[in-house]
Amino acid sequence: QVQLVQSGGEVKKPGASVKVSCKASAYTFTSYYMHWVRQAPGQGLEWMGIINPSAGSTTYPQKFQGRVTLTRDTSTTTVYMELSSLTSEDTAVYYCTRGGLIYTDYARAFDYWGQGTLVTVSS
Amino acid sequence: QSALTQPASVSGSPGQSITISCTGTSSDVGAYNYVSWYQQHPGKAPKLMIYDVSNRPSGISNRFSGSKSGNTASLTISGLQAEDEADYYCSAHTASSTRVFGGGTKLTVL
């Protein structure tokens, strides 16, 4: 069955960067979009961006422009989310989640989710 | 892009029906039939319950249904069960080719 397995929790100091990985299995990696969503403690879900694993192209919401970078490694079927200039407000659980088929289902819902990675930003 | 508006909480007794609303704008909920709903239990990842306004993924109970009118989408859960107690989030595709979530609704089964 489809699985998205994320890297372990991280503790970072303010101003640092963090890179979280998400390894996909049991489906054709380059056929589906991948998104990243985060959830601060006790708060709601927040969309951080989308990557086309085939082309490597990305789209980010204005809030995260210039601070988040999504990349992928097709040889290991892994996507990465790097967030820079961390502050305490970036303390959250970060999820990767699969979207729709490349080119035909850009707007499709998030059907499979990783287990989440807790990133804690503290001095 | 502002978050979609959901009630903070709803409640119902076992066997009853409840509806959760999700209000957006003509640039997101009202623009496309790409509204989805997610269930999240404490400490767990969200789970897709409804996609494209009213479609259920395989394995999701037909007690869950979705609809949309104008800029407001709705999730209805009929025959409430204790296991339905969770947080529920709506999400929509936007005219900027981004995604937006609602603030979430806590469902309590009395």
Side-chain angles (χ1 to χ4, degrees), chain B residues 2 4 7 9 12 14 17 19 38 41 52 60 69 75 82 88 93 97 102:
Chain B
S2 300
L4 307 176
S9 63
S17 295
T19 296
Y38 303 86
H41 287 109
D52 296 354
I60 299 301
S69 177
L75 172 70
Y88 290 84
H93 178 71
S97 293

Side-chain angles (χ1 to χ4, degrees), chain B residues 10-86:
Chain B
V10 298
S11 63
S13 299
Q16 289 186 331
S17 295
I18 63 96
T19 296
I20 300 171
S21 61
C22 169
T23 300
T25 70
S26 57
S27 295
D28 40 62
V29 174
Y32 312 97
N33 288 325
Y34 292 125
V35 177
S36 50
W37 290 89
Y38 303 86
Q39 176 192 67
Q40 187 179 36
H41 287 109
K44 300 294 187 182
K47 177 182 179 181
L48 177 64
M49 305 302 285
I50 296 287
Y51 69 94
D52 296 354
V53 174
S54 59
N55 293 296
R56 282 187 309 277
S58 174
I60 299 301
S61 170
N62 60 9
R63 297 187 299 105
F64 292 84
S65 62
S67 62
K68 190 185 84 166
S69 177
N71 296 337
T72 298
S74 299
L75 172 70
T76 298
I77 308 174
S78 59
L80 268 181
Q81 299 179 1
E83 68 210 48
D84 300 332
E85 185 163 295

